[in-house]
Amino acid sequence: GDSVTQTEGQVTVSESKSLIINCTYSTTSIAYPNLFWYVRYPGEGLQLLLKVITAGQKGSSRGFEATYNKETTSFHLQKASVQESDSAVYYCALGVNNYAQGLTFGLGTRVSVFP
Amino acid sequence: NTKITQSPRYLILGRANKSLECEQHLGHNAMYWYKQSAEKPPELMFLYNLKQLIRNETVPSRFIPECPDSSKLLLHISAVDPEDSAVYFCASSSGNSDYTFGSGTRLLVI
């Protein structure tokens, strides 16, 4: 089956510092999957942060960016300078070309930004 | 997020029956129910494509999905169990890259 691995369960970072959240994926599909980052702020629902559907491309949103690397099967999320408002849980997710399977999520990374 | 609405937002139940509702205004062909328990990622429960149940995950039989039309999705829960406490997200998609999630229903079983 498909799987998504996020190695960091929790990350604490100072405001204005850089952030990297690691994500690697595995799929049994012969087609390259679509990759997503979702974010869940405290007390809110699940929001799409960014997506990339073409291998080799980079997605960006709200200062975050992630590059779809098919060689290393990775989709790491980065931000150069975080703000306290970025405190949230971030989920890496995978969707295969057959959309009927829905999305497979990683375990999530809780990011805490302190001033 | 008015594109996909869920009701109720919060639900506190004893061992009772209740239905969760979802409606999407995006014209999407596929709709999903996900369950997110505390400290876990969202997990797919059910999937409908064009009103047909395509994939049914191994969820307890007390959860029964219903899709009255292509824009609406219901989740009927009977005799809830404390392990059912979670946030239930409805989602929809058109194709494989355009997923939208609702705000979720927070279910607390007491």
Side-chain angles (χ1 to χ4, degrees), chain A residues 34 36 38 40 43-48 51 53 91 95-108 110, chain B residues 9 29-30 32 34 36 39-42 44 47 49 54-55 87 89 93 95-103 106:
Chain A
N34 301 321
F36 307 80
Y38 281 86
R40 190 168 174 201
E44 297 187 16
L46 208 55
Q47 301 177 26
L48 177 67
K51 68 181 180 186
I53 62 174
Y91 297 95
V96 295
N97 273 341
N98 175 5
Y99 68 79
Q101 294 190 20
L103 295 177
T104 300
F105 287 85
L107 288 177
R110 181 177 298 278
Chain B
R9 285 290 304 277
N29 293 329
Y32 313 79
Y34 285 83
Q36 185 171 23
E39 307 304 320
K40 287 189 174 182
L44 181 64
L47 155 66
N49 184 35
I54 290 180
R55 187 172 177 185
V87 180
F89 288 107
S93 75
N96 57 359
S97 65
D98 191 15
Y99 291 87
T100 300
F101 283 79
S103 299
R106 287 154 182 77

Side-chain angles (χ1 to χ4, degrees), chain B residues 51-102:
Chain B
K51 293 182 60 180
Q52 299 300 314
L53 183 62
I54 290 180
R55 187 172 177 185
N56 187 344
E57 296 297 308
T58 55
V59 300
S61 58
R62 58 181 177 275
F63 290 90
I64 300 173
E66 181 186 354
C67 191
D69 64 57
S70 59
S71 67
K72 292 189 175 74
L73 194 61
L74 306 174
L75 184 63
H76 306 294
I77 314 173
S78 58
V80 291
D81 189 88
E83 70 178 26
D84 299 333
S85 295
V87 180
Y88 292 84
F89 288 107
C90 174
S92 67
S93 75
S94 176
N96 57 359
S97 65
D98 191 15
Y99 291 87
T100 300
F101 283 79

Side-chain angles (χ1 to χ4, degrees), chain A residues 14-66:
Chain A
S14 300
E15 204 166 26
S16 79
K17 297 298 185 185
S18 64
L19 171 70
I20 297 179
I21 304 175
N22 294 313
C23 171
T24 57
Y25 66 88
S26 171
T27 179
T28 54
S29 171
I30 59 173
Y32 290 119
N34 301 321
L35 299 175
F36 307 80
W37 277 101
Y38 281 86
V39 58
R40 190 168 174 201
Y41 297 101
E44 297 187 16
L46 208 55
Q47 301 177 26
L48 177 67
L49 180 59
L50 57 86
K51 68 181 180 186
V52 180
I53 62 174
T54 304
Q57 299 294 310
K58 180 168 70 177
S60 59
S61 173
R62 307 181 213 173
F64 288 91
E65 57 182 36

